Amino acid sequence: MMQSPHTQIDFNENLLRFLQASPTPFHAAKNLADQLSEAGFTRLHEGDAWNLEPGGRYWLTRNDSSILAFIYGHSPLAESGIRMLGAHTDSPCLKVKPRAELNRRGYFQLGVEVYGGALLAPWYDRDLSMAGRVTYCDEHGSIASELIDFGRPVAIIPSLAIHLDREANNARSINSQKDIVPLVLQLPADDSPAPRFRELLQAELQRNNPSLAIKQVLDYEISLYDTQPPALVGLENDFIASARLDNLLSCFIGLRSLLNADNKVSSLLICTDHEEIGSASCCGAKGPMLQHFLERLLPDAETRVRTIERSMMISADNAHGIHPNFMDKHDENHGPLLNRGPVIKINANQRYATTSETSAFFRLLCEQVKVPVQSFVARTDMGCGSTIGPIVASEVGVKTIDVGVPTFAMHSIRELAGALDSWYLYLVASAFFTYPNVPLARIATT
């Protein structure tokens, strides 16, 4: 069982292990669930009847890729509200197509789709593996699913040599259909038939799970990922370099903070899938997962509305740090620096859900735990991304603030964050869940 971190070093070591063990949203949700179970949380199944009691600790998943954890505090919900923290489990990547097999000049390749707004150039010349969920029919005719992770380099996307594209460093474009096609195998020269991808998945599953009675792999959701492990980098280990910092870093911070939560007041963590493609799914933030939970927790509509009015959500998702090579891409007064504290994200058009009240609350919380805080506003002449914050705020009606750790190379196969900032945000999130004198009620009643 993972111990509660006592120092920044302990926290980041645990974070790196979590990132390495979570190559897909399915694996991330499972790893979060395992830690919740180890900490004494009870699993709920949405298809069962529930009997939630004050003092209880619960968790549930939807689609095996989104997870919700709840601590039922002893204070009446309509008086105390619920402290919520939200993040997302998915990251931009390459996903294997349903009919993926490509046999070209004796090379076996896999057709892939681009998931989310991936930065494609860094995917070249990486040692790639595959992971995800496989759904199969067993020998009894039942359908079951199992997670799979090849865990070793099994694919690569080689670059085209500079000699064959002299303008590659000046004006190279990437065609996502033709140019990003992973190479996985060289076929024998004797014209032997190429393997079928489902058969490869079945063999790998069977090798790692000999007891599974797999008759046929019916379908899959498989992503490619970089096998280079997360690492602390820099002469003084100032930075964290890893895939999927956006947004597994926030999921991990939310989990570790929730495990320290005070039992007097109710607290909730929700990490949803599909944020990178708009959150419109049964397990995304636009879906009813959180709303369904709140309705079952509080069947009476008036009590539910009163509780939500006294609640608040921290939407945690990485922010753009000011890049020293591209400083003109930022507003001159709003360029967050790495290792200078969490970032409050603000947008006049509500691409972020922050308000003056929720921002003031977060600033006060940072002040209480002696953590520096920064602000991000996009350049007025540039577009602005978004998060689950505005979605949850509009769907549920809960007051929300958007915050995040400043990051370089967002949506690359390998992103960069400050080693201090993950710890800083953890301290603030822990205070949000822990401090009995947190001024939430004052926001709710002004």
Side-chain angles (χ1 to χ4, degrees):
M1 177 177 175
M2 183 181 298
Q3 299 299 312
S4 178
H6 298 290
T7 68
Q8 174 213 339
I9 295 174
D10 293 337
F11 182 85
N12 282 334
E13 286 178 351
N14 290 334
L15 170 61
L16 296 183
R17 282 192 286 269
F18 174 74
L19 292 167
Q20 176 73 358
S22 304
T24 73
F26 301 110
H27 292 82
K30 181 182 184 303
N31 289 327
L32 292 168
D34 288 345
Q35 294 187 39
L36 289 165
S37 294
E38 289 175 4
F41 282 66
T42 299
R43 180 172 188 177
L44 299 174
H45 296 274
E46 291 189 287
D48 295 343
W50 294 354
N51 182 25
L52 307 185
E53 297 180 348
R57 297 184 167 212
Y58 308 97
W59 66 269
L60 61 94
T61 62
R62 182 173 285 192
N63 189 50
D64 298 326
S65 60
S66 296
I67 188 165
L68 183 152
F70 179 64
I71 295 177
Y72 199 156
H74 292 285
S75 299
L77 289 168
E79 296 177 9
S80 66
I82 303 173
R83 305 171 191 182
M84 306 181 192
L85 191 147
H88 64 87
T89 58
D90 61 320
S91 304
C93 64
L94 304 181
K95 290 197 168 185
V96 181
K97 291 180 177 179
R99 296 181 64 183
E101 298 86 352
L102 297 170
N103 185 351
R104 295 170 169 173
R105 300 298 294 266
Y107 296 106
F108 184 65
Q109 296 177 276
L110 295 176
V112 295
E113 282 188 286
V114 178
Y115 176 86
L119 191 63
L120 292 178
W123 281 82
Y124 285 109
D125 307 317
R126 298 273 184 167
D127 299 342
L128 304 175
S129 191
M130 296 185 291
R133 181 173 68 179
V134 176
T135 303
Y136 63 90
C137 177
D138 66 19
E139 294 177 351
H140 306 290
S142 299
I143 294 178
S145 293
E146 192 74 29
L147 299 192
I148 190 171
D149 182 2
F150 282 75
R152 63 188 187 280
V154 295
I156 193 167
I157 305 171
S159 292
L160 181 64
I162 188 72
H163 314 75
L164 304 178
D165 184 3
R166 293 292 184 180
E167 295 301 309
N169 292 329
N170 299 322
R172 186 176 188 178
S173 62
I174 299 174
N175 184 295
S176 57
Q177 172 68 19
K178 298 188 302 179
D179 300 339
I180 303 288
V181 185
L183 174 67
V184 296
L185 184 68
Q186 185 162 20
L187 299 172
D190 59 3
D191 293 327
S192 299
R196 298 174 63 86
F197 186 60
R198 283 172 171 79
E199 293 173 353
L200 294 175
L201 292 177
Q202 181 171 341
E204 184 69 16
L205 265 183
Q206 206 72 71
R207 184 160 40 248
N208 295 322
N209 304 274
S211 62
L212 290 182
I214 304 174
K215 181 180 180 181
Q216 178 188 5
V217 169
L218 298 173
D219 225 323
Y220 53 82
E221 296 174 68
I222 299 296
S223 303
L224 282 87
Y225 71 92
D226 185 10
T227 58
Q228 183 178 4
L232 294 172
V233 300
L235 288 175
E236 301 293 337
N237 288 336
D238 289 329
F239 311 109
I240 297 173
S242 176
R244 302 176 298 281
L245 289 178
D246 175 20
N247 190 29
L248 293 187
L249 180 148
S250 300
C251 294
F252 183 79
I253 289 171
L255 170 74
R256 301 311 304 176
S257 304
L258 183 74
L259 296 184
N260 296 332
D262 186 277
N263 283 331
K264 295 178 182 177
V265 180
S266 295
S267 301
L268 183 148
L269 171 69
I270 184 166
C271 300
T272 54
D273 197 0
H274 300 141
E275 188 274 345
E276 297 293 358
I277 55 172
S279 293
S281 69
C282 72
C283 58
K286 280 187 180 178
M289 182 178 180
L290 177 56
Q291 189 67 32
H292 282 173
F293 177 81
L294 294 174
E295 289 172 355
R296 297 180 72 169
L297 174 68
L298 296 161
D300 178 69
E302 179 174 335
T303 304
R304 186 165 63 251
V305 171
R306 290 175 61 198
T307 299
I308 292 171
E309 172 60 22
R310 287 169 171 78
S311 301
M312 180 175 162
M313 169 170 275
I314 294 176
S315 167
D317 201 346
N318 295 20
H320 294 291
I322 184 168
H323 197 303
N325 299 343
F326 303 94
M327 291 186 289
D328 61 339
K329 296 296 184 181
H330 294 263
D331 183 274
E332 59 185 337
N333 285 339
H334 299 91
L337 300 173
L338 271 60
N339 289 315
R340 295 296 186 271
V343 178
I344 297 173
K345 301 157 74 172
I346 300 165
N347 180 259
N349 297 303
Q350 283 292 289
R351 298 290 289 170
Y352 303 129
T354 304
T355 69
S356 62
E357 288 188 330
T358 57
S359 175
F361 164 78
F362 191 82
R363 289 181 184 278
L364 182 58
L365 203 55
C366 289
E367 184 180 304
Q368 289 179 341
V369 294
K370 296 179 173 55
V371 165
V373 64
Q374 308 180 80
S375 297
F376 172 79
V377 178
R379 283 180 55 120
T380 306
D381 58 356
M382 293 179 67
C384 178
S386 192
T387 70
I388 68 167
I391 297 171
V392 174
S394 59
E395 294 287 336
V396 177
V398 63
K399 290 176 291 295
T400 302
I401 182 170
D402 271 295
V403 303
V405 164
T407 307
F408 294 158
M410 193 180 293
H411 288 196
S412 173
I413 196 171
R414 195 166 180 85
E415 300 164 322
L416 194 74
L420 266 177
D421 289 325
S422 56
W423 176 249
Y424 281 150
L425 186 54
Y426 164 73
L427 294 177
V428 180
S430 293
F432 177 59
F433 284 136
T434 305
Y435 278 20
N437 63 335
V438 67
L440 201 55
R442 274 179 272 161
I443 293 179
T445 57
T446 53

